[in-house]
Each structure stands twice: as C-alpha cells, then as structure tokens.
Amino acid sequence: MDDHSPRDDADAQALAPTSAPRVYETPPKERPITDAEAARAAQLAANEHIKIASGYLRGGLAEGLLKHATGAISEDDGQLVKFHGMYMQDDRDLRPERTKKKLDKAYSFMIRLRIAGGVISPKQWLALDDIAVTYAGSALRATTRQTFQYHGVIKSNLKRTMAAIDAALLDTIAACGDVNRNVMAATNPAQVGAHKAAHTLAKDISDSLLPKTSAWREIWLDGERVVGGEEEAEVEPVYGRTYLPRKFKVVVAVPPSNEVDIFAHDLGFIAILDKKNQVTGWNVTVGGGMGMTHGEPDTFPRTADVMGFVKPEDAIKVAEAVMTVQRDWGNRKNRKNARLKYTIERYGLAAFRAEVETRIGKKLGEPKPFTFTNNGDRFGWTEGDDGRHHLTLYVPSGRIKDYEDGPQFLTGLRKIAEVHEGDFRLTANQNVIIANVPGAKRAEIEALVDQYGITKGAGALRRNSIACVALPTCGLALAESERYLPSLMTELEESLATHGLAEEEITIRSTGCPNGCARPFIAEIGLVGRGPERYHLYLGAAFDGSRLGKLYKEDVAASDIRDTLDPLFADFAKGRKPGEHFGDYLIRAGHVARTINGPDFHDRTGALKPAGHA
C-alpha cells in the first residue's frame, strides 16, 4: 500500500461533509513555568513540582540509597529515578503472603538501558549477560523499545549494577521519564547502507537530545558534583528545569518494513530511498502514541501524521525543534493529556508545523511517497547487499533466559558472543539479530544455535506477536500479558488451523493495562487488560501498522477469547480477497468500524454485525 498518511484518504474525505470544522486553541507563547510558587499558582501537575525541586534530577536519591531499613525509596524519588532509567517495582505474586505476615513489599528495581538503534558488540553482550547472572535473576529482557531491561535488582545492588553497565560503555540515562527515551531504528540487514544511515541518525538524535545533568554519574558512580555544587552552576540547555511534560519517543524507519511502528510514536523519520537503496532524505511523522485510560474518552491512542520532508543534514535540527515545541506547548496540568498527540489535537498540525519551521529557520518539504508492507521481523538467515550474513532469532516476549526443557537463550547467546565477530541487534518486536556474520563463520553460529535449541522462527501468529511484562512486576498491570499470551496463541493456532489459516500472517499483541507498551492498539488482534483474566478486544488495525484497531468487545474473559475470534476466522477464510489481511477484511465485511485516527477511536465501537455471516 502506498500510503503517505496512516489514514485512508477516501475515509477521511467521506467523513469531511458530516464533520464540523476543527477549531484549535491558540498556542502558548511563554516557556514552561520553572518557579515553584508560580507552578503552584498555575495548578501544574504534581510531577512538575517534583522536577522543579529536584535540582536537575537529584532529589533525595543519594540519601535514599543509604536507607537500608527498606528496599524502597520515597514516592517523589520514585518519580525522579525514572529519568535515570529505573522503575521501582515489587513482586505482586508475593504481596498477599507478605501482607499477611506484616512484611514490607518485596521491592526491587527494573533497570532499562539506553541503546540507540539496539546495536551492541559481542563484548557488551557478554558484560550484560554477566550483570544478569549476578544481579537480575539470570535473565535479560529485550523490550519493545529496542533495548534491554533487567528485573529484580534490589536496592543494595543498584550502584554495583550501574557501575557494571558503565564499564560496558553503556548507560541508562533517560531510558524512562519525561525526556526523549531510547531512539529506535530499522534493523533490516538486507539494506546495509540504509540501515547504517538509520542507525547513525538514531544515535545522533539520542546524543543530541540527552539530558546534560551530571546527576546520573554523581549518584550511581560517585562522580564529582558540578563545580559550585548548586544548580545555578548547571543548566539543561534544551530541557530546562522541568524537562518535558511527558515521555517522548523517536523512531527511524526504512521502508518497506515498518518494524519500528513509526505511526505509534511521537516523532518518526521515514527513509526515502533512491534506486540504489541510499537515503536521500526523511519524511517526518509527528503525534503518534499508544497510551490511554480505561473509561476516559478524552484519552486515546493516535497514529502519527506525516508532517513533511527534510534533507539528511536537517534531520537533527528538526528532531530538536519538534521536541522543544512539545516542551513549550505540551499540557503540564494534566499528565493524561500531556503527550505530543494531544498537543497536535489541541493546536492543529498546521500550527505545529509552522512553529517547527520557525525554529529550524526553513520550510519543510512536502512528504515523498513511500510504501510499507508489514511491521514484523524477517526470521532466519538473510544476506546483506554487502555479502555479510544476518540471523534473526525468535525470542518469545523478548525473555532471554534458559528455559527448563526448552531453549537455552542465555547460555546459547553467551557462547555465540564468545566467537561472534560482528554485532547484535535488538528489534522493536523483542527479537535478536546475530548480525554481520562473515560467510566463513556462518556454520559455526548455526551449530551453536542448534546446540542450545534457540528458535530461528515460529508459527505465523507467534512471529507477529508482542507482549508486555505485566504481572508480577509491573505496578500498573491489571491482567496478565507475557505469561498469558503463549497459551492463548496455542488456542488460536488450533482455531486458525481448522479454517486453513495456519500460515496466515496476523499481528497479535497483548498488554496488561491500557498504557500500551506492546502497542496493542495498532495490532490486528489487540488485547488490553481490564482485570484478572479479563481483556478488551480490539480488531481491525492494519497489518503494516498504519491504522488503529477498534474496540470489538469489552471485558472478554480469557476463556472466551478463542470462541469470540473463531467465527471471525471462519468468515475470513471464506470471504477474504486474495492477499487481503485479517484487519482489512473485518472492516470491509462490516464486522468492525474503521478507525480514522485518535479522536474517533472511541466512536462506533463494538461488533457491527454477528460473526458467521461471511
């Protein structure tokens, strides 16, 4: 599909006659409030006060680490520590028993790394493996943000863990928090020149938009404080004292693959390639985002707009301009409406683009045509156009560990890292690529993969699946996700097989809550936790990640999901057109309404006609 907007133009035009013209607000002209008294008077969100008082993200973290009576830190520091790449969590499986015994919760920390573009060396892989074995329960997790995170690191081991990460020439700065987070990039190993350009841009954006505070090094590595010792001696030239209103996510895509889900993020760059697969410039997308809140229709996921085209030399300036406009225009009173998607809905894309152009000192070009065909990974071996070889491995939910009587991911990949001469790449779909393997080394790598039972692929449904962590560690989870999705897929695979659809490519994603970390709203089958063993079921998204799904059924019991989908699979098998994807069919056949974009996400929900009528 040649689609320079995530929307379907015909549908947008069909809606136009019945839709009243949008009236947008006038954007603010002032920079964000940084005075504590003024922030209180303006009734800014609590996190704004925490940031203002933090002394550039220091807060009481250094002192809190010395309090050994508890494994926790203070509530305010729990917000600040996110900027350092961490979340405080507890094991919710253990909560009932510990509460019964009047014990403190089993607190620990999730630590997320900053790895722009998801590329690391074999030496770094071995260092991260050692950290996992020593401090994090012998498991690494490849995330949907194309990086690694550790779970279960206790407070007394935080500084040791951070020192080990630093020794590997990596860090966790800005992996979470109200800042630009880990920048994702296409990994396509067949397009070597384009991948290099995408990875370079991701790394340059990551470095350019990195917070400049020295707090991370001071607190975790016992570094020296800035001369003068007070915040007057330190500045954040881009962020200021209050950083951003909410998180900010940047991705770089290389067509025809949309593996990074460009339309699900705040800011994106789509490579425009010449006939030799070299990048001539970038289409810029703005205003995507997945999170929402159940029962609050003024919150919604949104697909990004294609705002314009930039030459390679202007991409970094555009990235900073987009982020600083969001810094100045974003909602700092209500965090639920603070992401860039709401800023654009509030002030309009035209005004936003005009302000970006003012800040970069030139006009953006008009978007160039491009085509996406999917948002999944290529599994198995691929030969790049430079003759080097790349092996994409399927890692269920990104959990790199040794499974009893199953794949030995941790041990096997460690053995591979000991002999690998290229690099490793994480994908946005939680998988791992053993990249840049010389032809002479391919057989050795293949033998190790087979020896340790590492999966080089999976069935069609699993190949296109993502799940967030959810229970037991995520404090926001309402339902299971990572631990539940494999058994559900087994049920659905059986159902698909009975209808002759076993090898049909269908995207399926699951999250334990509506924050949408596994991007479920942009999957053809999206499951979003509502409570223990209950999910909202979303259907009708596009296979290439360009269109949101629609709520098909509320509060579906886990035991009823297969029975709900089975008749739709039957209809699809009978009524689809050649090459038609599941999400597109459900809309064409009238089972579910098409979502044009975020504001109509909550309109015309539910099943439009009974299944079983192909």
Side-chain angles (χ1 to χ4, degrees), residues 353-431:
R353 173 175 170 157
E355 182 65 18
V356 168
E357 291 173 336
T358 296
R359 296 191 185 200
I360 65 172
K362 63 172 67 176
K363 295 283 187 183
L364 297 173
E366 289 307 302
K368 308 286 188 184
F370 62 92
T371 301
F372 284 133
T373 58
N374 64 79
N375 61 351
D377 293 331
R378 304 160 186 77
F379 293 96
W381 286 100
T382 303
E383 185 174 353
D385 50 22
D386 62 350
R388 293 176 77 84
H389 300 263
H390 314 269
L391 176 60
T392 303
L393 305 171
Y394 170 67
V395 184
S397 298
R399 190 67 71 170
I400 299 168
K401 66 177 186 178
D402 291 344
Y403 290 86
E404 189 175 349
D405 300 322
Q408 306 293 292
F409 286 108
L410 194 72
T411 301
L413 285 165
R414 180 190 309 140
K415 296 298 183 184
I416 290 168
E418 289 171 354
V419 300
H420 184 31
E421 296 174 359
D423 53 62
F424 291 93
R425 299 176 191 167
L426 303 180
T427 79
N429 292 302
Q430 303 175 300
N431 298 306

Side-chain angles (χ1 to χ4, degrees), residues 14 22 51 70 122-123 177 266 298 340 416 454 468 473 496 517:
R22 286 292 302 271
K51 287 181 283 187
T70 175
K123 185 177 179 181
D266 298 87
D298 63 337
L340 177 58
I416 290 168
I454 299 173
C468 72
T473 51
L496 287 163
C517 293

Side-chain angles (χ1 to χ4, degrees), residues 230-247:
E230 300 301 329
E231 58 185 80
E232 287 77 10
E234 186 169 25
V235 295
E236 284 281 13
V238 175
Y239 287 104
R241 289 177 64 193
T242 53
Y243 296 86
L244 300 180
R246 280 298 300 272
K247 56 190 171 186

Side-chain angles (χ1 to χ4, degrees), residues 113 143 221 316 406 437 464 522 535 547-548 584 600:
L113 280 77
T143 80
L221 305 179
I316 300 297
V437 178
N464 293 285
I522 216 161
Y535 299 85
R547 181 182 65 243
L548 295 169
D584 296 332
D600 79 320

Side-chain angles (χ1 to χ4, degrees), residues 242-269:
T242 53
Y243 296 86
L244 300 180
R246 280 298 300 272
K247 56 190 171 186
F248 188 83
K249 298 178 178 179
V250 182
V251 295
V252 184
V254 178
S257 175
N258 185 23
E259 62 189 286
V260 295
D261 273 329
I262 194 100
F263 300 116
H265 294 89
D266 298 87
L267 170 62
F269 292 86

Side-chain angles (χ1 to χ4, degrees), residues 493-504 569-570 572-573 576:
E493 284 168 338
E494 293 170 356
S495 176
L496 287 163
T498 64
H499 302 296
L501 299 170
E503 289 306 309
E504 186 67 27
F569 292 154
F572 177 50
R576 63 178 170 160

